Amino acid sequence: MFCIAENWYNLLKEEFEKPYYKNLSNFLESEYSKKTIYPKPEQVFNSINHLKYDDVKVVIIGQDPYHEPNQAHGFAFSVEKDNKLPPSLVNIFKEIKSEFGYQNTNGNLLNWVKQGVLLLNSVLTVERGKANSHKGMGWENITKKIISLLNDRTDPVVFVLWGRSAMEIGKMVTNPWHLKLVSAHPSPLSAYNGFFGCNHFVKINEFLKKNGKKEIDWRT
């Protein structure tokens, strides 16, 4: 039902053959035929289709796609250019401004992806207007497997875990050479509980530099 880049398909093909994924596929086929589901089917795996396994330097884990029109396009926290910035992304940009001094206005985060940032939601689809509507339907198995595969790499990766959903997926990160950054979610409901002032974007670049990798330019 979905297009998946060969690089990642070969790593995940065992998952696609398991009963839970077949059930998930049947569920989504029905949902897409009857309801408005985001993102579009061809965009569901954008996060991994635009970034090869070996090129991942940073993983930012989101909850599930934005559930209003013209927002979700397959990358956690990102929206298409010229669309209104969702509240969580507004707060992410506020934190970046506090750390680096510049103000992002373009909500399309593809520039980050091109530099090695995997923007991965825990759940990859959602029904319009119903946040978390596809939670527990099977997507978490896929995203945990992706994180587990990245954990297996000997090349260090930064895992950014904002909020409980991300922290749950982040339990798959066990190898000590990786860096885990944990804070509250950037949602207006929780951003003041530890997201603001977390300095995660600076810490990411410090870790990358320490490990001989090019730092991320967080401008969009």
Side-chain angles (χ1 to χ4, degrees):
M1 179 175 183
F2 305 116
C3 296
I4 304 167
E6 183 178 4
N7 173 257
W8 280 101
Y9 180 83
N10 291 334
L11 292 167
L12 296 168
K13 59 184 178 182
E14 290 184 6
E15 297 298 308
F16 299 140
E17 295 169 359
K18 292 180 179 178
Y20 84 82
Y21 188 77
K22 294 178 181 178
N23 291 337
L24 173 63
S25 294
N26 291 337
F27 166 75
L28 290 172
E29 187 173 352
S30 175
E31 289 285 285
Y32 273 103
S33 68
K34 299 175 183 177
K35 304 173 183 177
T36 300
I37 305 298
Y38 301 125
K40 299 173 184 176
E42 63 270 21
Q43 296 178 325
V44 167
F45 281 105
N46 264 355
S47 57
I48 57 176
N49 284 343
H50 283 71
L51 186 59
K52 293 180 179 179
Y53 172 78
D54 291 333
D55 293 336
V56 175
K57 298 193 292 188
V58 181
V59 183
I60 298 178
I61 302 177
Q63 182 174 279
D64 65 338
Y66 296 124
H67 55 267
E68 297 301 336
N70 304 314
Q71 292 185 322
H73 64 130
F75 304 97
F77 297 106
S78 179
V79 292
E80 294 280 15
K81 186 178 180 181
D82 299 326
N83 283 344
K84 182 180 178 181
L85 302 181
S88 292
L89 188 54
V90 168
N91 287 338
I92 289 170
F93 285 173
K94 284 181 180 178
E95 178 59 26
I96 290 173
K97 184 177 181 180
S98 75
E99 295 183 31
F100 295 98
Y102 49 78
Q103 179 64 59
N104 285 329
T105 57
N106 174 15
N108 190 324
L109 306 181
L110 192 57
N111 184 50
W112 297 1
V113 176
K114 292 176 180 177
Q115 298 176 77
V117 181
L118 178 63
L119 300 171
L120 181 69
N121 278 316
S122 302
V123 174
L124 301 187
T125 54
V126 69
E127 182 181 345
R128 178 177 179 171
K130 296 184 179 180
N132 269 329
S133 52
H134 289 180
K135 181 180 179 180
M137 300 307 298
W139 278 127
E140 294 89 344
N141 296 311
I142 292 285
T143 50
K144 284 181 179 179
K145 181 62 176 180
I146 291 170
I147 298 304
S148 177
L149 288 165
L150 291 167
N151 177 61
D152 289 343
R153 274 182 32 181
T154 55
D155 193 23
V157 176
V158 184
F159 294 88
V160 183
L161 314 175
W162 296 329
R164 292 179 183 176
S165 176
M167 292 176 199
E168 180 63 31
I169 298 290
K171 290 179 181 179
M172 307 303 296
V173 182
T174 56
N175 284 325
W177 50 84
H178 302 305
L179 174 65
K180 287 203 283 188
L181 297 174
V182 180
S183 82
H185 194 276
S187 161
L189 298 174
S190 57
Y192 287 96
N193 293 328
F195 175 75
F196 287 135
C198 66
N199 244 22
H200 280 180
F201 299 96
V202 166
K203 290 176 181 178
I204 290 168
N205 281 352
E206 288 175 346
F207 183 82
L208 293 176
K209 185 175 181 180
K210 178 182 175 183
N211 285 278
K213 299 175 182 288
K214 189 174 181 180
E215 298 169 62
I216 305 298
D217 180 353
W218 295 107
R219 284 171 287 205
T220 59

